[in-house]
Amino acid sequence: MANCSTATNNVDLTKVKPYGDTLNDGRMEMAFTLPVPYGEEAEECAKQYVKKLGFEEINVTYYKLAVFVIAAFTDFLDGKIARKFNLVTDFGKFLDPLADKLLVCSTFIYLIEIGRFEYFGIKWGFVVTLIIAREFAVTGLRLLASSKNGTVMAAKMLGKCKTMTQMITICVLLLNNFNVPVIGFVLIMLSLALTVVSGVDYFVKSKDVFK
């Protein structure tokens, strides 16, 4: 690896050679030649400085955010198109919420891996466990309702609000909370609250399924 510091900090001034020109008034204008990297060494130094400034990490973060936003938008778009052209089916009602769950839960798991669920010295990864447990429970409830009376439970308003909040939370966490940790923490707690409340709402309104 190139030692880029030699170009800035660790220069041996005893080996620096001066050169100069005589100005019109007889004074000498002095300059110095400093050792600088070139060729492959210069390219390596440029990469190191860019990485030091954080641009490389920022670019990768934006790529990840763009992939998530595109996936979330296409999931929203297919439902809108289905309703507009009267293409709503029982299969779509079942699969659309499932696609949301897969997208959200897999991204939450990734965010745990990169340390975005650590606040106040506590690891809050168990929140994702509760979210996933709720999604399994509601999916099981849908399957039970479908097998008993042949109806497919569509997503309710509370469930949609929960999903939207989770997706906003993911976007903020991918951007590292805009360097304000409390923002991410508040959104995680809000996502957890809506997850639990919407899950209870599903079971209360579907109690007839268990008779």
Side-chain angles (χ1 to χ4, degrees), residues 64-88:
K64 293 172 185 175
L65 179 64
V67 169
F68 176 79
V69 169
I70 290 170
F73 179 72
T74 55
D75 183 61
F76 160 78
L77 192 62
D78 65 353
K80 193 172 182 63
I81 291 172
R83 287 187 292 273
K84 182 176 180 179
F85 294 99
N86 198 25
L87 299 172
V88 178

Side-chain angles (χ1 to χ4, degrees), residues 108-142:
F108 270 143
I109 291 169
Y110 165 74
L111 288 167
I112 291 175
E113 289 183 359
I114 62 174
R116 294 290 198 269
F117 274 78
E118 295 182 19
Y119 297 93
F120 313 113
I122 301 173
K123 295 181 178 180
W124 298 85
F126 67 88
V127 170
V128 176
T129 304
L130 294 175
I131 290 173
I132 293 174
R134 180 268 188 201
E135 305 301 1
F136 270 108
V138 172
T139 300
L141 180 63
R142 282 199 176 101

Side-chain angles (χ1 to χ4, degrees), residues 108-196:
F108 270 143
I109 291 169
Y110 165 74
L111 288 167
I112 291 175
E113 289 183 359
I114 62 174
R116 294 290 198 269
F117 274 78
E118 295 182 19
Y119 297 93
F120 313 113
I122 301 173
K123 295 181 178 180
W124 298 85
F126 67 88
V127 170
V128 176
T129 304
L130 294 175
I131 290 173
I132 293 174
R134 180 268 188 201
E135 305 301 1
F136 270 108
V138 172
T139 300
L141 180 63
R142 282 199 176 101
L143 288 172
L144 183 61
S146 177
S147 64
K148 287 196 75 172
N149 51 33
T151 60
V152 177
M153 295 168 56
K156 301 184 186 300
M157 184 52 66
L158 259 177
K160 291 178 180 178
C161 290
K162 176 267 305 179
T163 301
M164 184 61 66
T165 303
Q166 288 176 345
M167 288 183 173
I168 292 172
T169 302
I170 286 171
C171 290
V172 172
L173 294 180
L174 282 171
L175 292 172
N176 202 14
N177 306 317
F178 304 108
N179 293 321
V180 184
V182 70
I183 295 176
F185 180 74
V186 169
L187 285 172
I188 288 172
M189 293 299 106
L190 183 59
S191 294
L192 176 61
L194 283 173
T195 296
V196 173

Side-chain angles (χ1 to χ4, degrees), residues 40-55:
E40 291 183 1
E41 188 179 1
E43 184 180 349
E44 179 63 28
C45 285
K47 288 180 180 177
Q48 288 182 37
Y49 282 124
V50 167
K51 193 170 183 180
K52 236 182 231 186
L53 291 172
F55 291 130

